[in-house]
Amino acid sequence: SLALDKSCNNLDDDSDGYVDNHTGWDFVTDTNSVQAGDVNPAGNGVSHGTLVSGLIASETNNGQGMSGMSWNSQILPIQALSDDGDGDTLSVALGINYSVTHGAKVINMSLSSDGDDPLVAEQVQYALESGVTVVAAAGNDGVGQLGYPANYPGVIAVGATNSSDVRASFSNYGPNLAIVAPGTGSICTTGWTQAQPNNYYVCGYSGTSFSSPIVAGAASLLLSQNMNLTPAQIKTALTSTATKVAGMNGQSFTSQYGYGRLDVY
C-alpha cells in the first residue's frame, strides 16, 4: 500500500494542534487554507497578504514583475484578517504565537488598531523574548499616535514616506516610531486576482502596510548575514544607519520620521 501524504492526510502528524498545516494557518476560518480569495475573491482585503509578501521576498532574475527585499527568504503564511480585511485581536495574537512556535525569525504585521489589547501585547513580548524580530505598520490615520502592535516596546514601528522623503500625510507618527520607508504610489509588488492568481503585478498602492514589509525584508537580509542577531540588535542596525531626511532638520530622531528613512545599502 502507498503511504499517506502527510500534507493532506487529515491527521495532526507533528502534534502541534493543527491538522495538515503544511502551508500555514488561517486563524479567521480556523482552517489550513491560506489561499487568497477562498472565502470572498472580491473582498477588499483579499490581495493584501500577496502584496505584502511580494515586497518581502518576490523572486529575482526571472524576468517577471519586481524583486523582493530579501528574495531567498521563506514566507510562512498566516491569515489573521479575512478576505474582507476584517479580524480581531484574538486571531492576531494566535497568529503571532503560531509564527514563533513554527520557526519564524521575522514577523511582519501590516495591520493596525487604535486599541491596546493585553493578549496581543503578551504575544508580541513572547516573540521578542524568543528572538523573533517584530516589524509593524504605524497605521494610516495621519495622527500623532501609533497604532498597535506598532506602539508596543521592542517592535520596529514603520511609517511611510513619499518619493521626496517626506512623511506621507496618512502615516501615523509618535515617540515610538522607529523608522520610515517608502509607502506611497510608486510601490510595485505582486498582486492577486481570481483571474490572475499567479502572474499578476501591480503598482500604485499606498499605506504603511507596504512600508512595513520593506523594513521586514531588510531585517531578513541582516539575518541572512548573521542568524544570531537579536531583535534589539536588528532594530539598532536599521535605525542607526537610516538616512536623516530633510524634514528632520538635523535631528537624530523625530516623532515624524523616527531615526530616519531606511537605507538598506
Side-chain angles (χ1 to χ4, degrees), residues 92-105 107 118-134 152-155 231:
V92 172
L94 289 171
I96 298 170
N97 183 276
Y98 183 100
S99 301
V100 175
T101 59
H102 288 76
K105 296 299 294 180
I107 297 175
L119 182 59
V120 175
E122 177 185 67
Q123 292 305 313
V124 166
Q125 187 61 34
Y126 168 60
L128 294 169
E129 291 176 353
S130 300
V132 181
T133 298
V134 181
Y152 291 128
V155 174

Side-chain angles (χ1 to χ4, degrees), residues 103-178:
K105 296 299 294 180
V106 179
I107 297 175
N108 176 73
M109 304 184 74
S110 288
L111 48 84
S112 180
S113 169
D114 59 7
D116 176 2
D117 187 285
L119 182 59
V120 175
E122 177 185 67
Q123 292 305 313
V124 166
Q125 187 61 34
Y126 168 60
L128 294 169
E129 291 176 353
S130 300
V132 181
T133 298
V134 181
V135 184
N140 300 329
D141 302 308
V143 297
Q145 171 70 39
L146 298 183
Y148 293 93
N151 208 25
Y152 291 128
V155 174
I156 301 176
V158 186
T161 51
N162 62 24
S163 58
S164 299
D165 273 343
V166 175
R167 181 183 67 85
S169 60
F170 57 76
S171 183
N172 291 3
Y173 53 96
N176 288 334
L177 184 67

Side-chain angles (χ1 to χ4, degrees), residues 243-255 257-260:
T243 295
K244 309 302 180 186
V245 300
M248 298 176 72
N249 296 317
Q251 300 178 75
S252 62
F253 174 89
T254 72
S255 63
Y257 292 94
Y259 288 94

